[in-house]
């Protein structure tokens, strides 16, 4: 029977608007719909690195974008970025440091020690509002290849197909309902998650019903009319297999949701229900990244056409959920909207080819979808193309718009943002169709679980407590105590604070900033007796490591390459014997070396206080008992002294005898870090890891001819570019002596409230100086 279509004038409610009582949607209902997003991840971290492949004894330069998870604008909530470098083979962290987040951005570096093994590593970052209790997947990561030398770079191929085939079907909206024409999407992949193109046949009661084949990356869809009294199965014809795949259960009654059409301005949905259900009010909620933008209300008898305006919805994945009159979810559909809204980053060099040590002038221009200039915060790396990780398909757009919003590892996500791919919109629709929908428990109030508060696992501050070292019969000093927090240069950076009445105090991000050149020290400013001590520990990385093992890392898969690999230029190999001046490493013969200047001063002070050794005056003998009246002269470490053994005075003390003598090179006793901290009643905490300036040489004409060889494979790392009101920024850098093809990659976010993201790239060649 031909369906009767009802065209209903929608009542659309903004999230911030108050719904009227007679509509059936109360403020309480809207509040419940928003509660789930309000209680979950508030920030998403993205890492951009100066290149994709590194050699040991290099610095990894990175930029962290800490954006509001809903609006995709720089977040001002978190002040600390916790960074780990994890060796993939052992799943162990080989580097852990804290970095300061400034207005939603971080730029930092970490040094790759020569002791690191070559292989695949993961750079992972967490802010205090991006890691929560129950987090089931980590997104803020960047895969890196670390080599001993670039000559060991292997021509790695992407993961290839294997004999395992996983084939799954996904009814649009979530369920197949008897008597309602439905779209069934499917996805085929191997055991590694690599897509497999397939074709096959849908059978109804063992009779062929629909032929189908995949349209993109093993995904496809088709329409059919399900019947709850029939039996359905799928059999693949390519690759040919005798295995059959059953369809999800066909419900005898219920509601369905289908996307009929989507244009730049609107999306058209069809809501249907079986004839045995009564007419009722239904609600269609549209949200993007947890923010509700529309709630459409209509009366559903059999079929209802609903048109959703898209103008005010930001770019990204919109989640459309159908609710019945009791505000219970019935179906859900993902769609990608406003893909044209993004930053366009144009990078124009003054030349296409340069000579060694030439000056390069780069002009960046950033515009929005209407070609209007945008003030944007950009990160730019320019490096030898040989150091590009070709199998890393992640960029800032795929990260925030897809990976952080969907489950699983997406194959080749950059495909969906490349305008050269004419079918990218249809392919993206298939990607979202094969995501399924959140399975709510039937009969439970909608989004009931969303009302549960979730707990952040990390904090920008560290809690300490001051207390008596030992139990004593003396009455405990009552009231607040005084604590001093200071950095290595205690005369420059210090803070005196009061504890609460129970002795608790807080070390905040401002204190950690004091320690950018080393450590932060905490000392109780209390009387010597009875002795008070401080208990304080930073458990941040223990918490991260414990929770990281409970959840997988989400990372996109690279594209399978059918054609021959692009011809690479011969790598420029720098001998391991040459000093590249990337880092300065000092070595010493001393057994004990204190990195922090303040602790070094305490070491010297403690040695003087505890050391009873002296040099006799005027004889210069070490611990000379014949000249023991003046012990003020202390021995100098490393100096050779004469000493006597078995010293004994004669009866009248006018002569003495010895049993032996000799010469020794004087060494003070070795004092451990823990000894010094205990002796001076201190606690030591790591501060934020200090910043370092990226080295950029400036050559004049004379320097271009003479001077030391310049073997830089990274010509520029600039993480803090901010365009002007015209959306422009001018950048100058100088080429090195390496004759090869270089690539520049620029990414960034607009600083307006729209939350626009963008990426761009450029290439150029550097030849030998003529």
């Amino acid at each position: 029977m031909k369906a009767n279509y009802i065209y209903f004038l929608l009542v659309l409610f903004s999230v911030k608007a108050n719904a009227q009582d007679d509509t059936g949607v109360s403020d309480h209902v809207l509040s419940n719909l928003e509660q789930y997003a309000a209680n979950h991840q508030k920030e998403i971290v993205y890492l951009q690195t100066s290149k994709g492949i590194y050699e040991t004894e290099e610095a990894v330069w990175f930029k962290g974008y800490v954006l509001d998870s809903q609006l995709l604008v720089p977040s001002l909530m978190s002040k600390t970025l916790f960074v780990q470098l994890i060796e993939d083979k052992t799943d162990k962290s080989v580097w852990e440091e804290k970095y300061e987040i400034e207005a939603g951005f971080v730029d930092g570096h970490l040094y790759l020690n020569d002791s690191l093994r070559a292989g695949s590593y993961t750079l992972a970052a967490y802010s205090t509002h991006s890691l929560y209790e129950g987090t089931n997947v980590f997104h803020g990561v960047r895969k890196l290849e670390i080599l001993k030398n670039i000559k060991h770079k292997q021509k790695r191929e992407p993961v290839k197909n294997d004999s395992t085939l996983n084939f799954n079907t996904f009814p649009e909206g979530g369920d197949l309902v008897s008597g309602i024409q439905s779209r069934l999407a499917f996805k085929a992949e191997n055991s590694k998650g690599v897509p497999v193109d397939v074709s096959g046949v849908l059978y109804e009661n063992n009779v062929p019903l629909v032929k189908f084949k995949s349209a993109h990356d093993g995904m496809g869809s088709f329409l059919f009319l399900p019947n709850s009294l029939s039996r359905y199965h799928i059999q693949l014809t390519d690759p040919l297999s005798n295995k059959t795949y059953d369809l999800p259960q066909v419900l005898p009654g219920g509601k369905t949701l289908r996307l009929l059409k989507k244009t730049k301005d609107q999306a058209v949905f069809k809501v249907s229900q079986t004839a045995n259900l009564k007419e009722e009010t239904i609600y269609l909620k549209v949200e993007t990244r947890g923010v509700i933008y529309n709630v459409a209300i209509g009366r559903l008898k059999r079929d209802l056409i609903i048109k959703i305006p898209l103008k005010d919805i930001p770019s990204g994945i919109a989640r459309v959920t159908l609710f019945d009159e009791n505000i219970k979810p019935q179906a859900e559909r993902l769609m990608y909207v406003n893909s044209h809204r993004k930053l366009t980053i144009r990078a124009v060099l003054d030349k296409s080819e340069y000579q060694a040590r030439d000056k390069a002038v780069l002009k960046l221009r950033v515009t929005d979808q209407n070609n209007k200039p945008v003030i944007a915060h950009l990160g730019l790396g320019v490096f030898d193309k040989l150091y590009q990780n070709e199998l890393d398909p992640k960029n800032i757009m795929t990260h925030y718009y897809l990976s952080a919003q969907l489950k699983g590892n997406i194959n080749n996500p950059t495909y969906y943002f490349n305008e050269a791919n004419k079918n990218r919109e249809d392919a993206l629709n298939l990607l979202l169709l094969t995501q399924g929908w959140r399975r709510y428990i039937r009969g439970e109030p909608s989004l009931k679980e969303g009302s549960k508060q979730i707990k952040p696992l990390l904090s920008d501050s560290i809690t300490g407590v001051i207390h008596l070292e030992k139990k004593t019969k003396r009455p405990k000093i009552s009231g607040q105590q005084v604590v001093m927090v200071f950095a290595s240069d205690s005369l420059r950076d210090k803070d005196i604070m009061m504890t609460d009445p129970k002795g608790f105090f807080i070390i905040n991000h401002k204190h950690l900033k004091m320690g950018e050149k080393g450590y932060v020290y905490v000392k109780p400013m209390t009387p010597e007796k009875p002795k008070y001590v401080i208990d304080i520990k930073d458990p941040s990385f223990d918490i991260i490591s414990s929770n990281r093992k409970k959840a997988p890392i989400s990372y996109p898969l690279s594209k399978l390459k059918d054609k021959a690999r692009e011809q690479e230029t011969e790598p420029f190999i720098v001998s391991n014997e040459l000093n590249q001046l990337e880092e300065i490493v000092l070595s010493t013969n001393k057994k004990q070396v204190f990195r922090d200047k303040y602790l070094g001063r305490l070491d010297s002070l403690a040695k003087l206080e505890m050391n009873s050794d002296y040099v006799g005056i005027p004889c210069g003998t070490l611990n000379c008992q014949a000249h023991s009246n003046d012990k003020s002269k202390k021995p100098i470490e490393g100096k050779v002294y004469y000493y006597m053994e078995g010293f004994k005075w004669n009866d009248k003390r006018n002569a003495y005898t010895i049993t032996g003598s000799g010469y020794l090179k004087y060494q003070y006793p070795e004092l451990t870090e823990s000894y010094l901290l205990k002796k001076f009643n201190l606690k030591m905490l790591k501060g934020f890891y200090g910043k370092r300036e990226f080295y950029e040489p400036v050559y004049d004409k004379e320097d271009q001819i003479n001077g030391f060889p310049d073997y830089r494979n990274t010509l520029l790392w600039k993480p803090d570019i901010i365009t002007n009101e015209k959306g422009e920024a001018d950048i100058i850098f100088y080429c090195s002596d390496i004759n090869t093809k270089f690539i520049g990659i620029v990414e960034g976010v607009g600083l307006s409230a729209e939350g626009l993201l963008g990426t761009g790239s450029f290439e150029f060649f550097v030849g030998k100086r003529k």
Side-chain angles (χ1 to χ4, degrees), residues 478-751:
S478 60
Q480 297 175 309
Q481 303 299 317
V482 179
V483 174
M484 181 169 70
V485 184
F486 58 97
S488 298
D489 188 354
S490 57
L491 296 177
R492 182 176 63 88
D493 288 324
K494 63 181 179 181
D495 184 24
I496 307 293
M497 69 175 79
M498 300 293 294
T499 70
D500 69 9
K502 294 183 178 181
F504 288 94
F505 61 93
I506 298 294
I507 301 297
N508 60 36
H509 70 281
K510 294 180 181 178
H511 297 132
L512 297 181
K513 186 174 176 62
M514 291 180 183
E516 281 186 324
K517 295 183 179 179
Y519 293 86
V520 176
Y521 295 93
V522 190
K523 182 176 179 62
M525 306 299 289
T526 52
E528 291 187 7
K529 293 183 180 181
K531 185 178 180 181
Y532 274 75
V533 294
I534 288 174
D535 282 343
I536 188 168
K537 183 181 179 182
D538 183 4
S540 303
F541 286 107
D542 291 336
I543 292 171
I544 289 171
S545 296
S546 174
N547 284 270
R548 181 174 58 80
K549 295 178 181 179
K550 298 177 183 178
I553 288 174
S554 174
Y555 211 81
L557 302 174
S558 59
K559 178 184 177 182
L560 275 169
K561 293 187 176 180
D562 298 324
K563 58 183 181 180
R565 185 187 182 91
E566 180 183 352
Q567 184 67 32
E568 289 183 341
T569 56
E570 189 69 21
F572 182 87
I573 306 299
V574 178
S575 170
N576 292 331
E577 298 177 358
L578 291 179
N579 292 324
Q580 301 177 56
L581 299 181
E582 281 276 347
E583 298 282 343
I584 297 176
V585 182
L586 301 179
S587 62
T588 177
N589 292 325
K590 292 183 180 180
K591 293 182 180 180
Q592 182 75 13
V593 178
F594 293 106
R595 187 180 89 173
D596 190 87
K597 292 187 297 182
Y598 180 71
L599 208 57
R601 291 197 296 268
L602 294 184
D603 177 59
S604 300
L605 181 61
K607 285 175 179 178
L608 291 174
E609 289 182 358
M610 68 178 291
N611 190 9
S612 60
D613 292 336
Y614 62 94
V615 177
I617 301 175
C619 66
T621 301
L622 183 66
N623 295 326
C624 177
Q625 296 186 43
H627 300 93
S628 59
N629 292 332
D630 185 358
K631 298 181 178 181
S632 60
K633 186 175 182 179
K634 295 296 182 181
I636 300 173
E637 189 167 20
K639 187 174 181 178
V640 176
Y641 293 95
Y642 175 76
Y643 69 92
M644 299 181 293
E645 293 179 345
F647 181 93
K648 186 177 181 181
W649 286 106
N650 291 338
D651 292 341
K652 296 182 180 180
R653 292 182 65 86
N654 57 2
Y656 60 84
T657 60
I658 58 175
T659 59
S661 64
Y663 291 88
L664 61 81
K665 187 176 183 180
Y666 188 80
Q667 297 289 340
Y668 277 95
E670 183 177 322
L671 303 179
T672 64
E673 185 179 275
S674 58
Y675 172 85
L676 290 172
L677 294 174
K678 184 175 181 180
K679 176 178 175 58
F680 293 97
N681 199 11
L682 294 167
K683 289 295 181 180
M684 184 173 71
L685 296 168
K686 269 190 175 183
F688 288 137
Y689 195 71
K691 289 188 177 183
R692 198 185 81 183
E693 188 176 350
F694 181 82
Y695 173 66
E696 296 180 57
V698 177
Y699 293 121
D700 56 26
K701 292 182 180 180
E702 183 179 350
D703 286 334
Q704 290 173 349
I705 300 172
N706 304 314
F708 293 102
D710 182 352
Y711 296 138
R712 291 174 301 127
N713 58 65
T714 303
L715 302 183
L716 181 67
W717 169 246
K718 205 163 184 64
D720 54 356
I721 302 170
I722 300 179
T723 58
N724 59 24
E725 293 182 354
K726 296 180 180 180
E728 297 176 345
D730 294 327
I731 310 296
I732 294 175
F733 61 92
Y734 289 82
C735 301
S736 63
D737 291 330
I738 301 178
N739 312 132
T740 188
K741 182 180 285 186
F742 284 84
I743 185 171
I745 295 178
V746 57
E747 299 183 279
V749 57
L751 296 181

Side-chain angles (χ1 to χ4, degrees), residues 138-401:
F138 295 120
H139 297 286
V141 298
R142 172 66 73 176
K143 293 289 186 180
L144 303 176
E145 280 294 315
I146 297 177
L147 308 174
K148 292 295 183 181
N149 195 297
I150 194 62
K151 66 183 179 183
H152 299 138
K153 178 183 178 182
Q154 298 179 358
K155 293 185 177 182
R156 297 175 180 267
E157 293 297 330
V159 180
K160 295 183 178 180
N161 287 333
D162 56 26
S163 57
T164 303
L165 179 65
N166 297 317
F167 181 84
N168 292 285
T169 55
F170 305 85
E172 182 177 14
D175 291 310
L176 295 173
V177 178
S178 184
I180 302 177
Q181 188 180 49
S182 301
R183 181 170 295 279
L184 185 70
F186 61 86
K187 177 170 65 175
E189 57 189 16
N190 68 9
S191 61
K192 305 294 184 181
V194 176
V196 178
D197 287 329
V198 296
S199 59
V201 179
L202 171 66
Y203 289 85
E204 181 178 24
N205 297 325
N206 296 321
V207 176
L209 182 64
V210 179
K211 291 182 178 181
F212 63 85
K213 64 178 181 179
S214 54
H216 175 77
D217 274 356
M219 300 178 292
S221 70
F222 56 86
L223 289 169
F224 81 109
L225 185 66
N227 187 330
S228 60
L229 301 179
S230 298
R231 292 177 291 104
Y232 296 93
H233 75 271
I234 284 176
Q235 189 162 4
L236 299 180
T237 56
D238 184 19
L240 186 61
S241 172
N242 293 326
K243 185 176 181 180
T244 60
Y245 301 89
D246 293 330
L247 264 60
Q249 178 188 3
V250 178
L251 302 179
K255 295 178 175 62
T256 64
L257 176 67
R258 274 185 59 196
L259 176 61
L260 298 181
K261 183 181 179 181
K262 182 172 71 69
T263 65
K264 184 178 179 180
D265 300 319
Q266 68 176 9
V268 182
F269 284 89
K270 181 180 180 181
V271 179
S272 303
Q273 71 176 5
T274 48
N276 61 321
L277 297 178
K278 66 180 180 65
E279 182 180 351
E280 64 175 298
T281 300
I282 55 96
Y283 309 97
L284 202 63
K285 180 198 66 171
V286 183
E287 65 170 285
T288 298
R289 296 185 291 272
V291 177
I292 303 172
Y293 287 90
N294 299 113
V295 176
I297 307 171
R299 292 290 293 177
L300 174 63
K301 185 175 182 181
R302 185 63 190 274
D303 299 291
L304 182 64
I305 299 296
I306 299 179
K307 297 180 181 179
I308 301 292
L310 304 179
K311 179 182 177 181
D312 297 326
I313 302 178
S315 178
I317 296 174
R319 188 182 297 273
V320 182
T321 308
L322 173 67
F323 296 89
D324 65 13
E325 62 183 10
N326 297 314
I327 319 300
K328 294 178 182 177
Q330 301 297 308
E332 191 167 79
R333 176 66 152 87
L334 302 181
M335 63 175 177
Y336 201 94
V337 301
N338 294 319
S339 59
H340 63 289
R341 293 182 185 171
K342 62 178 181 177
L343 295 182
T344 298
I345 304 175
R346 296 178 177 86
V348 180
L349 286 165
D350 60 333
K351 300 178 185 178
S352 61
E353 184 171 337
Y354 297 88
Q355 296 180 11
R357 304 199 181 195
D358 266 358
K359 174 182 177 180
V361 179
L362 173 69
K363 180 176 285 292
L364 297 175
R365 187 168 189 270
V366 183
T367 56
D368 63 12
Q369 65 276 6
N370 299 316
N371 203 32
K372 292 183 179 180
V374 175
I375 299 176
H377 201 296
L378 307 176
L380 168 64
V382 181
F383 56 93
D384 182 344
K385 195 174 181 180
L386 188 64
Y387 291 80
Q388 181 182 19
N389 188 349
E390 296 177 343
L391 301 186
D392 187 353
K394 173 180 265 194
N395 63 40
I396 194 170
M397 296 181 69
T398 67
H399 179 78
Y400 282 108
Y401 287 145

Side-chain angles (χ1 to χ4, degrees), residues 21-138:
D21 290 339
D22 58 2
T23 66
V25 181
S26 66
D27 291 336
H28 174 70
V29 169
L30 285 174
S31 175
N32 284 343
L33 295 180
E34 292 184 283
Q35 191 66 40
Y36 180 84
N39 290 335
H40 284 69
Q41 186 182 32
K42 293 178 173 60
E43 294 174 340
I44 302 176
V45 178
Y46 172 71
L47 291 175
Q48 177 187 4
T49 53
S50 55
K51 54 185 178 180
I53 299 175
Y54 292 85
E55 295 168 294
T56 53
E57 296 187 275
E58 279 191 315
V60 174
W61 300 90
F62 70 87
K63 177 180 182 179
Y65 298 78
V66 185
L67 303 188
D68 180 282
S69 63
Q70 295 181 332
L71 304 178
L72 298 187
V73 296
S75 173
L76 303 180
M77 291 187 291
S78 295
K79 306 300 180 183
T80 307
L81 191 71
F82 305 82
V83 178
Q84 288 183 319
L85 181 65
I86 303 161
E87 184 181 24
D88 291 348
K89 185 176 181 180
T90 61
D91 196 33
K92 291 183 179 178
S93 174
V94 298
W95 176 283
E96 294 179 339
E97 292 288 350
K98 292 181 177 182
Y99 298 80
E100 183 185 16
I101 301 174
E102 298 177 277
F105 299 100
V106 184
D107 60 271
H109 75 284
L110 57 96
Y111 178 67
L112 300 177
N113 197 289
D114 188 50
S115 61
L116 288 180
R117 290 181 290 193
S120 177
Y121 287 76
T122 299
L123 187 66
Y126 319 86
S127 70
T128 52
H129 289 89
S130 69
L131 184 62
Y132 284 79
E133 193 175 66
T135 298
N136 54 16
V137 67
F138 295 120

